[in-house]
Amino acid sequence: MPLQPDPSYVGRFAPSPTGPLHFGSFVAAIASWLDARAAGGRWLLRMEDLDRPRVKSEAADRILAQFDAAGLHWDGEVSWQSRRLDLYREALERLASMEATYWCACTRKEIADSAITPDGAGVYAGTCRGGFARGKSPRAIRVRTKAEAIAFVDRLQGPVEQSVEREVGDFVVFRADNTFAYQLAVVVDDAEQGITDVVRGADLIDSTPRQIHLQRLLGLPAPRYLHVPVAVTAAGEKLSKQKDAAEGSSRDLRAALAFLGHAAPADVADGDLLLWARGAWDPSAIPRRRTISVNAAARSP
Ligand code: GLU
């Protein structure tokens, strides 16, 4: 079903400026823009630049150039997570005052041997929940999780359920390198910016229950979620930001639309692609899958 107009809609795209957008993140950006614009809503751009060791100084400019080339326009100023640290600190203090968090002294190596979570990290066994052993030093701050499942209905993927305690464990909200963790920052920002709809790649769907857990602790509203399939190589591997960088050209745009189940008829001129797609946008036409493999040829018109 095509979307009903909803002027209260506020969407966002939140790239990490660690390199240019690859074809998969370009697809997610297009989906997020189209969903917002088809609803007649706003669309914000937020640079998730907290992960200092991975951020590259020229990457944000490259991403903005990709948007310009594709004709994707955002509303208002670009926001930068690195300039919003007070908001994250405040949220962390609130969690601490509720005794929802604790200091963890475990090293990466100590955790690495445990079971593997959906996103490939170890399930944290709760070793430091009741305090850490004498002689060890505090490294990171974790939030306590609960065994009962957190459920939500993804607008594309349908019902999702996860016991965060069993499948992920108490997770890090403040990292050992003195950085606010993505899970905390994203929840604070989505609420503070009044985001009603998150449209992003399905590689983040397993993070969503963690984000809902934090929203509930902090008394923040949960946005609606739509996780689009992620483009992977024929071997099922992630695309590379460098090797598979998108240009934002009309060729990329046509390929992204086709990937999203919205192949543009050949008589739609390059300059009209976004306008056409905005009118044709129907989220139920997106393939209901978490990954789709593409190769260089598939990304050509
Ligand atoms: N910054 C994250 C990334 O680029 C996306 C965050 C989000 O959309 O929630 O993978």
Side-chain angles (χ1 to χ4, degrees), residues 2-9 35-41:
L3 281 184
Q4 298 300 314
D6 175 8
S8 67
Y9 185 117
D35 201 57
R37 296 308 190 209

Side-chain angles (χ1 to χ4, degrees), residues 11 142 146 148 209 299-300:
R142 290 181 184 271
K146 299 193 186 109
E148 75 232 22
R299 304 206 305 271
S300 315

Side-chain angles (χ1 to χ4, degrees), residues 246-271:
E247 290 157 30
S249 61
S250 50
R251 183 185 125 150
D252 284 340
L253 204 47
R254 278 186 198 274
L257 292 172
F259 182 96
L260 289 164
H262 290 71
D267 62 356
V268 175
D270 285 353

Side-chain angles (χ1 to χ4, degrees), residues 29 45 89 100 153 160 173 189 198 202:
L45 185 55
R89 193 167 298 118
V153 180
V160 176
V173 283
D189 284 340
V198 170

Side-chain angles (χ1 to χ4, degrees), residues 24-158:
S25 4
F26 182 68
V27 164
I30 298 287
S32 160
W33 186 91
L34 284 172
D35 201 57
R37 296 308 190 209
R42 287 165 53 76
W43 190 66
L44 312 183
L45 185 55
R46 178 168 79 226
M47 290 291 172
E48 299 206 326
D49 60 343
L50 289 183
D51 195 351
R52 278 165 308 204
R54 292 182 57 235
V55 165
K56 300 210 173 60
S57 55
E58 71 293 349
D61 285 343
R62 282 283 302 273
I63 294 173
L64 297 181
Q66 289 172 302
F67 282 168
D68 269 347
L72 287 188
H73 300 299
W74 58 92
D75 293 307
E77 300 275 313
V78 176
S79 56
W80 300 80
Q81 286 192 324
S82 56
R83 300 179 194 165
R84 298 166 62 82
L85 302 184
D86 285 348
L87 290 169
Y88 314 137
R89 193 167 298 118
E90 205 178 290
L92 194 57
E93 279 164 11
R94 279 181 52 211
L95 292 172
S97 70
M98 298 186 257
E99 294 183 19
T101 55
Y102 59 86
W103 280 100
C104 171
C106 298
T107 60
R108 216 173 258 272
K109 187 163 180 322
E110 282 164 336
I111 301 164
D113 302 331
S114 20
I116 299 298
T117 64
D119 47 18
V123 174
Y124 184 65
T127 319
C128 296
R129 253 190 186 187
F132 46 85
R134 204 183 279 266
K136 289 193 127 190
S137 346
R139 293 169 51 82
I141 300 177
R142 290 181 184 271
V143 65
R144 294 176 203 279
T145 53
K146 299 193 186 109
E148 75 232 22
I150 291 188
F152 70 100
V153 180
D154 186 87
R155 288 173 50 207
L156 176 65
Q157 310 285 347

Side-chain angles (χ1 to χ4, degrees), residues 235-300:
E237 285 158 2
K238 282 187 177 174
L239 300 186
S240 132
K241 289 191 170 183
Q242 302 306 335
K243 250 179 31 239
D244 303 297
E247 290 157 30
S249 61
S250 50
R251 183 185 125 150
D252 284 340
L253 204 47
R254 278 186 198 274
L257 292 172
F259 182 96
L260 289 164
H262 290 71
D267 62 356
V268 175
D270 285 353
D272 294 336
L273 280 170
L274 280 178
L275 196 62
W276 172 84
R278 181 174 165 163
W281 183 241
D282 175 4
S284 67
I286 307 170
R288 194 175 164 177
R289 295 174 52 183
R290 296 212 182 170
T291 58
I292 296 181
S293 64
V294 292
N295 52 39
R299 304 206 305 271
S300 315

